[in-house]
Amino acid sequence: MGESIRTPQQKRSIDKKNRIIEAGYELFARDGYFNTNTAQIAKHAGVSTGIVYGYFRDKRDILLEVLSIYVDKAFTPIMEIFDNLKTPLDFESLLSTIIDSTIEIHRNNASIHEALHSLTSSDEAVGNKFLELEKDMTINIVDTLKAVGYAPDDLYERVHLAMEMIQSYAHECVYDLHDYIDYDKMRTSIIKVLLSLFTD
Amino acid sequence: MGESIRTPQQKRSIDKKNRIIEAGYELFARDGYFNTNTAQIAKHAGVSTGIVYGYFRDKRDILLEVLSIYVDKAFTPIMEIFDNLKTPLDFESLLSTIIDSTIEIHRNNASIHEALHSLTSSDEAVGNKFLELEKDMTINIVDTLKAVGYAPDDLYERVHLAMEMIQSYAHECVYDLHDYIDYDKMRTSIIKVLLSLFTD
Amino acid sequence: MGESIRTPQQKRSIDKKNRIIEAGYELFARDGYFNTNTAQIAKHAGVSTGIVYGYFRDKRDILLEVLSIYVDKAFTPIMEIFDNLKTPLDFESLLSTIIDSTIEIHRNNASIHEALHSLTSSDEAVGNKFLELEKDMTINIVDTLKAVGYAPDDLYERVHLAMEMIQSYAHECVYDLHDYIDYDKMRTSIIKVLLSLFTD
Amino acid sequence: MGESIRTPQQKRSIDKKNRIIEAGYELFARDGYFNTNTAQIAKHAGVSTGIVYGYFRDKRDILLEVLSIYVDKAFTPIMEIFDNLKTPLDFESLLSTIIDSTIEIHRNNASIHEALHSLTSSDEAVGNKFLELEKDMTINIVDTLKAVGYAPDDLYERVHLAMEMIQSYAHECVYDLHDYIDYDKMRTSIIKVLLSLFTD
DNA sequence: AATGAATGAGACTTCATTCAT
DNA sequence: CATGAATGAAGTCTCATTCAT
């Protein structure tokens, strides 16, 4: 009855908890959440099955921690770009920076993104976390743009749209999914389109 | 090892196979692939558990058929628009038609789309089918546009990009995910952007 | 989700369900509920672990069925004595018959009684079933006695008391627990006491 | 295999051992033996899990100590009544005193009694301890009665019987189990019956 | 071709006990 | 003596698939 999930204080324990999260991260990314079992996570982390339940309520709890870490990884680099924004705005170079960064994020995290995002439909908390991520990014970007004096009426919509385009481009780019697509040409198209989007 | 997955010839059997696929479709859409078991599918289809394995190699085989049907449903309406394309091209009204149609498709199939698409990362065949769908649509649209005399250098890229934007818009629109987004305003933005994309 | 617990219709299946109950009965009686696991029950019944969950919701559900059967076994013989009650009442021979019958019941079911009764404190449903058993017996006996014209003011109390004495005597008698007790002498004492109880 | 269950000498250690027993007592009473785990006991006692095995061989060993304490609690008050017995015997008031005392014991210890007694069937040592308790009480009472000059032939049987009736009455009385029973009326019946039992 | 009972591997989780510190 | 993290065997239950009828 409400027996305690360990909140590790000591260095060794923190390492162990992190090793479990790391193992979850890797296995979920490689095989997906449903194709990974707790025994595999424990083994991959080099711990016993039992201790997993010392640090996590259940398997899903590991998922949530993995998700949390992923969200940070995905969020931070883009936000840093906006934190260091220089005026006057040079949209074209800003876009280029963002696209590069997004591609880089995808390159490093594509598998886990897929594995986690695929749970959106069957796990509400996961879905909400992704929504929250999108929302936070959009609002942050909108606020930053407003702060530098760019404030058209439909800014939320434009930013959101731009983010989705860039993300979906980065995703395809990393996986090089379609042989009929020249991703460099596509990049040019996207930048052109986005410039037109942010130009009244 | 007498492999003997039935290819049903008689009317009753065809019905039965289709009923199973239909049941899979509905249950996967409602509960997701991993939360649906074969007994439920059989029951929902009004057949015995055993006979499911008369028509399908395994559970995944049902998935593949469901996927096939979904792909048709998603593909056909858009293709019909292009089959009936009238010259001279009126891009703006064409876009509007496509957006409406895509939203309509999403409205009717959002759940199954999510359920199936979430398997993309863990099941290669599913992933490939989605890629194929995108490819077929892109190529088809490109061919049609070329046939009516619209043939810029980077047409594949533009079409692909446009498709993704529209799909992602339709998805969000149907689920109404973000309270900070005004989906009508967004629609206006998208149309504007896409017009600029297809205008040299 | 509410997948169905089989209610077996066919002869073979009924046998199988009963074999599982029987196995539960024997193992619970021998080793106790907590020291018996589902695998053992399945093995003892000669079935697979899986099918146990085809017939029963969970392990406790087996317990409840075992309990139900035990209650019938314990209830029926005593009730039959009262169904065949002859007037005028000969209390002494009636008591003797009841005591013999109760001892007989205990001889055949002492272990399962202990195993089940020991769950009274940790499982409310089990506790209630035992209460119900006592209540039913008491009320039935009271009604029968009233029907033959024996109706003192505190009949419920007297009957209940008598039942408990007889049961506790039968229990000890069967186990021959105390070497310092002569169970024949004790029987005489009990009969004497009970006669005085039912004599105004 | 240096067996080394500590027999604590120092004051602090004795406290610690007692605190563990006390914790076991409370948790077994509240949740039952099988629903209590050693971590809970340790936590409740304010000690570490590990040290529990410094003072006790295993979980069952705690049980045995708890049982021992319970037996004392249940035994002592009744024995005191007999230690202070005054001649000439006034059976009626003696009975009344004993019944009150037994009810009081039950009121304070009903939960732990249930929890421990329920183990009778699956743990021989526990069973024997309860038998021993009954035996000690019976013999003690018999000896005391003989000492004051009451020595019928079947005294053991009568005393044992009386004890059981009173205990079972006290149990029901405390739990107020049966709505069809008036426990005051029942008390009168019992006293009447017991008087007749001890009157030749 | 059809049924649905049956199988059994394997998933998740708990907990008495041990052990490094 | 003491800690509490760690172990891993064992328990409950699920479900894709098979098989007797």
Side-chain angles (χ1 to χ4, degrees):
Chain A
M1 311 287 128
E3 283 318 297
S4 55
I5 297 303
R6 236 157 267 158
T7 307
Q9 310 296 354
Q10 293 153 11
K11 198 158 171 294
R12 265 189 62 236
S13 291
I14 292 174
D15 286 355
K16 193 159 284 195
K17 179 166 188 183
N18 286 336
R19 284 218 310 280
I20 295 168
I21 297 173
E22 186 67 21
Y25 196 100
E26 285 167 19
L27 295 178
F28 294 163
R30 199 187 67 195
D31 303 326
Y33 178 73
F34 289 110
N35 296 314
T36 301
N37 66 40
T38 50
Q40 290 167 336
I41 295 174
K43 190 173 184 183
H44 199 84
V47 301
S48 68
T49 29
I51 198 59
V52 170
Y53 291 85
Y55 293 113
F56 302 92
R57 200 180 322 286
D58 53 23
K59 186 186 166 189
R60 184 169 167 274
D61 199 22
I62 304 175
L63 172 72
L64 262 20
E65 295 258 25
V66 167
L67 177 58
S68 212
I69 287 182
Y70 165 70
V71 163
D72 281 350
K73 282 198 189 176
F75 190 81
T76 309
I78 302 298
M79 285 310 98
E80 275 172 0
I81 294 172
F82 281 88
D83 286 348
N84 303 321
L85 209 59
K86 289 185 181 57
T87 45
L89 277 186
D90 173 355
F91 261 127
E92 187 151 2
S93 89
L94 175 60
L95 278 176
S96 217
T97 311
I98 292 172
I99 289 173
D100 288 341
S101 184
T102 307
I103 288 174
E104 185 61 17
I105 293 167
H106 263 80
R107 206 183 301 290
N108 298 327
N109 305 284
S111 294
I112 193 70
H113 172 86
E114 297 249 301
L116 296 174
H117 197 261
S118 75
L119 297 168
T120 288
S121 57
S122 59
D123 188 311
E124 210 183 331
V126 175
N128 288 339
K129 191 86 183 179
F130 271 99
L131 286 184
E132 205 187 309
L133 171 63
E134 282 188 294
K135 183 175 184 172
D136 286 352
M137 287 185 74
T138 305
I139 289 176
N140 247 298
I141 293 172
V142 163
D143 288 349
T144 311
L145 290 176
K146 280 183 179 167
V148 298
Y150 185 75
D153 183 39
D154 57 349
L155 187 52
Y156 284 104
E157 288 73 19
R158 295 191 200 180
V159 166
H160 195 82
L161 193 54
M163 271 173 38
E164 277 189 358
M165 286 180 66
I166 292 171
Q167 267 162 40
S168 130
Y169 169 68
H171 181 79
E172 300 225 338
C173 205
V174 165
Y175 277 99
D176 190 15
L177 291 171
H178 300 286
D179 50 19
Y180 54 92
I181 297 289
D182 177 326
Y183 288 101
D184 287 330
K185 272 192 193 166
M186 202 171 178
R187 182 186 174 116
T188 312
S189 281
I190 284 180
I191 291 179
K192 183 189 141 203
V193 155
L194 290 180
L195 282 177
S196 92
L197 178 63
F198 285 97
T199 309
D200 303 292
Chain B
M1 297 283 127
E3 295 283 321
S4 69
I5 299 305
R6 262 153 235 152
T7 307
Q9 308 296 354
Q10 291 157 8
K11 198 152 170 291
R12 262 187 67 230
S13 290
I14 293 174
D15 285 355
K16 196 166 281 198
K17 180 168 188 182
N18 286 337
R19 284 215 311 277
I20 295 168
I21 297 171
E22 185 68 21
Y25 195 99
E26 286 167 18
L27 295 179
F28 294 163
R30 200 187 63 192
D31 303 326
Y33 179 71
F34 289 108
N35 296 314
T36 301
N37 64 42
T38 50
Q40 289 169 329
I41 295 173
K43 189 174 183 182
H44 199 85
V47 301
S48 68
T49 357
I51 201 59
V52 169
Y53 289 81
Y55 294 110
F56 301 90
R57 197 180 324 283
D58 52 24
K59 187 185 169 188
R60 184 169 165 276
D61 201 17
I62 304 175
L63 172 70
L64 264 18
E65 296 263 24
V66 167
L67 178 58
S68 222
I69 286 184
Y70 165 70
V71 163
D72 282 349
K73 283 198 189 175
F75 191 82
T76 310
I78 302 298
M79 285 309 99
E80 275 173 359
I81 293 172
F82 282 88
D83 287 349
N84 303 322
L85 209 59
K86 289 185 181 59
T87 45
L89 279 187
D90 172 356
F91 262 125
E92 188 154 359
S93 88
L94 175 60
L95 278 175
S96 219
T97 311
I98 291 172
I99 289 173
D100 288 340
S101 184
T102 306
I103 289 174
E104 186 62 16
I105 293 168
H106 263 80
R107 206 183 300 289
N108 298 328
N109 303 285
S111 294
I112 193 71
H113 172 86
E114 298 243 305
L116 297 174
H117 197 261
S118 77
L119 298 167
T120 288
S121 57
S122 59
D123 189 311
E124 211 184 328
V126 174
N128 288 339
K129 192 83 184 181
F130 271 97
L131 287 183
E132 206 188 308
L133 169 63
E134 283 187 294
K135 181 175 185 173
D136 286 353
M137 286 186 73
T138 306
I139 290 176
N140 245 297
I141 292 171
V142 164
D143 288 352
T144 312
L145 289 175
K146 281 182 178 165
V148 297
Y150 184 75
D153 183 38
D154 57 350
L155 187 52
Y156 284 104
E157 288 73 18
R158 295 190 199 181
V159 166
H160 195 79
L161 193 54
M163 270 173 40
E164 278 189 357
M165 286 180 64
I166 292 171
Q167 266 162 40
S168 133
Y169 170 68
H171 181 80
E172 299 231 339
C173 209
V174 165
Y175 277 97
D176 190 15
L177 291 172
H178 299 286
D179 48 21
Y180 54 91
I181 298 290
D182 176 327
Y183 290 100
D184 287 329
K185 274 192 193 166
M186 203 171 181
R187 182 184 173 120
T188 310
S189 282
I190 285 180
I191 290 180
K192 182 189 143 204
V193 155
L194 290 179
L195 282 176
S196 93
L197 178 63
F198 287 98
T199 308
D200 303 293
Chain C
M1 310 285 129
E3 283 317 296
S4 54
I5 297 303
R6 237 157 264 157
T7 307
Q9 311 295 354
Q10 292 153 14
K11 197 156 171 297
R12 263 188 63 237
S13 290
I14 292 174
D15 286 354
K16 192 159 288 196
K17 178 167 189 181
N18 286 337
R19 282 217 312 279
I20 295 168
I21 297 173
E22 186 68 20
Y25 197 99
E26 285 166 20
L27 295 179
F28 293 162
R30 199 187 67 193
D31 303 326
Y33 179 72
F34 289 110
N35 296 311
T36 301
N37 66 41
T38 51
Q40 289 167 336
I41 295 174
K43 190 172 184 183
H44 198 85
V47 301
S48 68
T49 27
I51 199 58
V52 169
Y53 292 85
Y55 293 113
F56 302 91
R57 198 180 324 286
D58 52 23
K59 186 186 167 188
R60 184 168 166 276
D61 199 21
I62 304 176
L63 172 70
L64 263 19
E65 295 259 25
V66 167
L67 178 58
S68 213
I69 286 182
Y70 165 70
V71 164
D72 281 350
K73 282 198 189 175
F75 190 82
T76 310
I78 302 298
M79 286 309 99
E80 274 171 0
I81 295 173
F82 282 88
D83 287 348
N84 302 323
L85 208 59
K86 289 186 180 58
T87 46
L89 277 187
D90 173 358
F91 261 125
E92 187 153 0
S93 87
L94 175 60
L95 279 175
S96 218
T97 313
I98 291 172
I99 289 172
D100 288 340
S101 184
T102 305
I103 288 174
E104 185 62 16
I105 293 168
H106 263 80
R107 206 184 301 289
N108 298 329
N109 304 284
S111 295
I112 193 71
H113 173 85
E114 297 250 302
L116 296 174
H117 197 260
S118 77
L119 297 168
T120 288
S121 56
S122 59
D123 188 312
E124 211 184 329
V126 174
N128 288 339
K129 192 85 183 180
F130 272 99
L131 287 184
E132 205 188 310
L133 171 62
E134 282 188 294
K135 182 175 185 172
D136 286 352
M137 288 187 72
T138 305
I139 289 176
N140 246 298
I141 293 173
V142 164
D143 288 351
T144 312
L145 290 176
K146 280 183 177 166
V148 299
Y150 184 75
D153 182 39
D154 57 349
L155 188 52
Y156 284 104
E157 288 74 17
R158 295 190 199 182
V159 165
H160 194 81
L161 193 54
M163 270 174 38
E164 279 190 356
M165 288 179 64
I166 292 172
Q167 266 162 40
S168 133
Y169 169 68
H171 181 78
E172 300 225 339
C173 205
V174 165
Y175 277 99
D176 191 15
L177 291 171
H178 300 286
D179 49 22
Y180 54 91
I181 297 288
D182 177 326
Y183 289 100
D184 287 330
K185 275 192 192 166
M186 202 172 178
R187 182 185 172 117
T188 312
S189 281
I190 284 180
I191 290 180
K192 183 188 141 204
V193 156
L194 290 180
L195 282 177
S196 92
L197 177 63
F198 286 98
T199 308
D200 303 292
Chain D
M1 298 285 125
E3 295 282 322
S4 68
I5 299 305
R6 263 155 236 152
T7 307
Q9 309 295 355
Q10 292 155 8
K11 197 154 171 290
R12 264 189 64 229
S13 290
I14 294 175
D15 285 355
K16 197 166 279 195
K17 180 167 188 181
N18 286 337
R19 284 215 311 276
I20 295 169
I21 298 172
E22 185 68 19
Y25 194 99
E26 285 166 19
L27 296 179
F28 294 163
R30 200 187 64 194
D31 303 326
Y33 179 72
F34 289 108
N35 295 314
T36 300
N37 64 42
T38 51
Q40 290 169 328
I41 295 174
K43 189 175 183 181
H44 199 84
V47 301
S48 68
T49 358
I51 201 57
V52 169
Y53 289 82
Y55 294 110
F56 301 91
R57 198 180 323 285
D58 53 23
K59 186 186 170 188
R60 182 169 166 276
D61 200 18
I62 305 175
L63 172 70
L64 263 20
E65 296 262 25
V66 167
L67 178 57
S68 222
I69 287 184
Y70 165 70
V71 164
D72 282 350
K73 282 199 190 177
F75 191 81
T76 310
I78 302 298
M79 284 311 97
E80 276 172 359
I81 295 172
F82 283 88
D83 288 349
N84 302 323
L85 210 59
K86 292 187 180 58
T87 47
L89 278 187
D90 173 356
F91 260 126
E92 186 152 1
S93 86
L94 175 60
L95 278 175
S96 218
T97 310
I98 292 173
I99 289 173
D100 288 340
S101 184
T102 307
I103 287 174
E104 186 61 16
I105 293 168
H106 262 82
R107 207 183 300 289
N108 297 328
N109 304 283
S111 295
I112 192 72
H113 173 86
E114 298 244 305
L116 297 174
H117 198 260
S118 76
L119 298 168
T120 289
S121 57
S122 59
D123 188 310
E124 211 184 330
V126 174
N128 287 339
K129 192 85 183 181
F130 271 98
L131 287 184
E132 205 187 308
L133 170 63
E134 282 187 294
K135 182 174 184 175
D136 286 352
M137 287 185 72
T138 306
I139 290 177
N140 245 297
I141 294 172
V142 163
D143 288 351
T144 312
L145 290 176
K146 281 183 177 166
V148 298
Y150 184 75
D153 182 39
D154 57 348
L155 188 53
Y156 283 104
E157 286 73 18
R158 294 191 201 181
V159 167
H160 194 81
L161 192 55
M163 270 172 39
E164 277 189 357
M165 285 180 65
I166 291 171
Q167 266 162 40
S168 131
Y169 170 67
H171 180 80
E172 299 230 337
C173 210
V174 167
Y175 277 98
D176 190 15
L177 291 171
H178 299 284
D179 49 21
Y180 53 91
I181 298 288
D182 177 326
Y183 289 101
D184 287 329
K185 272 191 195 167
M186 202 172 182
R187 183 186 173 116
T188 312
S189 282
I190 285 180
I191 290 179
K192 182 189 142 203
V193 154
L194 290 180
L195 282 177
S196 92
L197 177 63
F198 287 98
T199 308
D200 304 289

